[in-house]
Amino acid sequence: MMQEYNQYNESINEDSEKEINQEMEKLDEEEVIKFSSSSNPYPAKVEFSKEQFSLFEINRAINEFKEINLNPEFQRNKGLWDRKKQSRLIESILMGIPLPLFYFAENKGGGLSVVDGLQRLHTITEYFKNEFKLQDLTYIDGVKGKLFKDLQRDNQARIERYQIQVYVMSADTPETVKLDIFERINSGGTPLNKQEMRHALYKGKSTKLLKELAECDEFKKAVTLKLDSKRMRDRYVILRALAFYLAYNVQLIKKIPANIDPEINGSFDNFLGKYMRIMNSMDENECSKLEYTFKTSMQLLYNIYKDNTFKRNSTSNTFNMIMFESLFFITASLQNQIKIDLDTWHKELDNIINKSWFQSTLDNSSNSIKRMKEHFIKLSDNIEELRTKYA
């Protein structure tokens, strides 16, 4: 009987996760700019420079000078290759076989981010650091089972002198265009989703904060239905919630870079990328306050709804992103301004959720930036009413 129950429970969890991932995939199909066949597909000039580097130079740029960002927190890609595949790459280098092109993106703050070639570079730097021994080789004798330091000097030099071809995308490339190019380049193998692209392109305080919040106990407890952390679904929903919250509370940000318009406009790609850049510009104190606000809101919402937090209703088995970002927006905006007990919170939040315009947003997908702006304007009006009511 217990075995049947466990099998049933596992089946429910698998179905729930499948539904969540399908929902996230649907929500991840964010707005894209559509051009007529007669127009230039890119409205701005896109510049690539072609460079050639030795692996010795690449390794120093990554590990010594920190000029190339390999995104070690990029969980989907980290360690994706097994040791056999890594060893075969090193064998190909020793044989002098040309590797496919690498693609980097210039960062406006300096340095480069890897757009395509992360696994290859991760393998190369690991081997330079003697982190694995060569195994399951096909053609080269005498190097099996050896770390880099154990190779004969001529083989070490062969690896160090090996040249790779790199295309570098200009830092001035517009965000939407950059993401589109990123998506095209990564069309082979397992394509990156938009959040994985953003994580690679906007690494800094924002990616660190999103990682910490996705892993915090308050979030994991409140989101009882599992979100795929390897594909960054959890970081995606957190980013959306933070971006909307900051967009309507810009006074919390001391200094926004002059070239960034904090208004909600354009596509979701531009909006979310813009707010990752804004978070990268925040000081440590601002980031800490935002982290505290998020965690305390998650704890408050869990205390109110328990295992039904962020579900559309008590019978639902799926995480609802509109509920997540809306309830976070309300509690984050009010938690330090009004003093009410959990029952009152429950009553007032349910009152907002049951309004026709809120239900209408739930019934329609959340990919329209215009529709979501209208939704958050209504939420802001309700927040003001609660602020006045419980002042």
Side-chain angles (χ1 to χ4, degrees):
M1 186 70 177
M2 182 59 70
Q3 184 178 0
E4 291 178 358
Y5 173 79
N6 289 337
Q7 290 175 344
Y8 171 77
N9 205 30
E10 289 175 7
S11 175
I12 290 295
N13 288 337
E14 289 175 4
D15 290 344
S16 296
E17 186 170 353
K18 183 178 180 181
E19 288 181 35
I20 292 168
N21 288 335
Q22 287 174 343
E23 182 181 351
M24 293 296 101
E25 289 292 349
K26 181 180 179 182
L27 294 170
D28 201 37
E29 293 170 1
E30 300 164 354
E31 293 178 338
V32 296
I33 298 175
K34 296 180 175 66
F35 303 98
S36 67
S37 58
S38 61
S39 65
N40 182 352
Y42 291 123
K45 187 175 181 181
V46 181
E47 293 185 353
F48 277 93
S49 61
K50 188 174 182 180
E51 309 286 347
Q52 183 167 307
F53 301 100
S54 70
L55 294 188
F56 179 79
E57 293 173 307
I58 286 288
N59 188 53
R60 290 189 73 195
I62 293 170
N63 292 310
E64 186 174 342
F65 302 121
K66 311 300 181 184
E67 295 169 339
I68 299 174
N69 174 26
L70 279 193
N71 299 306
E73 297 172 2
F74 202 172
Q75 295 300 319
R76 183 184 76 82
N77 282 318
K78 187 178 180 182
L80 194 61
W81 282 11
D82 59 24
R83 293 308 190 195
K84 178 179 179 180
K85 192 166 186 178
Q86 289 183 314
S87 297
R88 294 290 296 274
L89 176 71
I90 301 302
E91 184 182 38
S92 295
I93 291 169
L94 285 168
M95 294 171 67
I97 297 173
L99 297 182
L101 289 169
F102 292 76
Y103 288 85
F104 296 168
E106 283 183 334
N107 302 321
K108 290 189 176 180
L112 301 167
S113 290
V114 179
V115 174
D116 189 60
L118 183 61
Q119 284 300 325
R120 287 172 283 160
L121 292 176
H122 180 69
T123 295
I124 290 162
T125 57
E126 273 202 333
Y127 193 62
F128 272 124
K129 289 188 287 186
N130 301 298
E131 293 187 9
F132 67 92
K133 297 178 180 180
L134 299 179
Q135 61 184 53
D136 297 307
L137 303 182
T138 305
Y139 299 105
I140 300 180
D141 296 323
V143 297
K144 182 179 178 181
K146 292 192 175 182
L147 302 167
F148 177 78
K149 67 179 182 179
D150 299 328
L151 296 176
Q152 293 183 0
R153 179 57 199 154
D154 61 333
N155 282 328
Q156 290 179 342
R158 185 173 291 113
I159 294 173
E160 291 172 339
R161 291 196 299 264
Y162 185 91
Q163 302 286 310
I164 63 171
Q165 304 294 323
V166 179
Y167 276 107
V168 181
M169 185 177 8
S170 167
D172 295 326
T173 306
E175 317 302 341
T176 301
V177 176
K178 192 179 292 185
L179 283 174
D180 181 58
I181 293 172
F182 203 153
E183 189 171 31
R184 291 165 186 261
I185 290 171
N186 282 276
S187 59
T190 304
L192 302 179
N193 63 42
K194 295 286 181 67
Q195 186 55 34
E196 290 169 325
M197 295 180 203
R198 276 186 286 268
H199 188 88
L201 292 172
Y202 306 118
K203 183 168 178 62
K205 292 176 183 175
S206 63
T207 53
K208 180 182 177 183
L209 179 62
L210 292 175
K211 180 178 184 293
E212 290 176 353
L213 295 183
E215 294 176 351
C216 75
D217 292 338
E218 293 85 351
F219 174 73
K220 289 182 176 180
K221 186 165 59 175
V223 181
T224 55
L225 296 171
K226 185 179 178 183
L227 295 175
D228 189 351
S229 60
K230 290 186 177 180
R231 297 306 308 272
M232 299 193 180
R233 308 266 181 242
D234 46 3
R235 302 187 204 187
Y236 173 62
V237 300
I238 293 172
L239 172 60
R240 279 184 54 134
L242 294 181
F244 280 119
Y245 173 69
L246 290 174
Y248 285 92
N249 293 275
V250 289
Q251 74 277 4
L252 298 175
I253 309 166
K254 294 177 184 176
K255 187 177 180 181
I256 297 174
N259 62 333
I260 301 179
D261 176 11
E263 291 294 316
I264 302 175
N265 50 38
S267 68
F268 257 108
D269 287 338
N270 278 337
F271 173 57
L272 296 179
K274 175 166 60 178
Y275 270 89
M276 287 191 76
R277 291 168 58 200
I278 287 175
M279 283 189 278
N280 282 342
S281 73
M282 294 167 65
D283 62 33
E284 293 299 331
N285 186 50
E286 290 171 309
C287 289
S288 295
K289 286 183 177 179
L290 188 57
E291 179 181 359
Y292 175 80
T293 297
F294 181 85
K295 289 181 177 180
T296 51
S297 285
M298 291 298 107
Q299 185 62 57
L300 173 60
L301 288 165
Y302 176 75
N303 290 341
I304 296 168
Y305 290 105
K306 300 299 181 183
D307 290 343
N308 291 321
T309 314
F310 310 133
K311 297 178 184 178
R312 183 162 183 175
N313 53 56
S314 59
T315 61
S316 174
N317 282 323
T318 59
F319 169 87
N320 188 287
M321 189 160 65
I322 301 297
M323 295 287 287
F324 176 80
E325 54 199 16
S326 298
L327 294 180
F328 167 72
F329 182 68
I330 298 169
T331 53
S333 300
L334 289 172
Q335 60 174 299
N336 294 321
Q337 298 181 22
I338 64 174
K339 300 296 182 183
I340 55 178
D341 59 30
L342 293 180
D343 288 339
T344 307
W345 268 116
H346 202 314
K347 180 187 73 174
E348 295 293 359
L349 291 175
D350 282 356
N351 183 48
I352 295 174
I353 291 168
N354 291 327
K355 291 181 182 293
S356 59
W357 55 266
F358 196 106
Q359 291 296 312
S360 177
T361 307
L362 291 176
D363 290 334
N364 296 285
S365 183
S366 56
N367 275 353
S368 166
I369 197 78
K370 180 181 178 182
R371 186 183 300 126
M372 292 309 296
K373 281 181 67 174
E374 293 171 352
H375 179 77
F376 277 92
I377 288 171
K378 290 185 173 69
L379 284 178
S380 297
D381 291 340
N382 279 261
I383 287 170
E384 283 304 314
E385 290 175 9
L386 291 175
R387 189 177 283 125
T388 301
K389 182 176 180 179
Y390 294 103

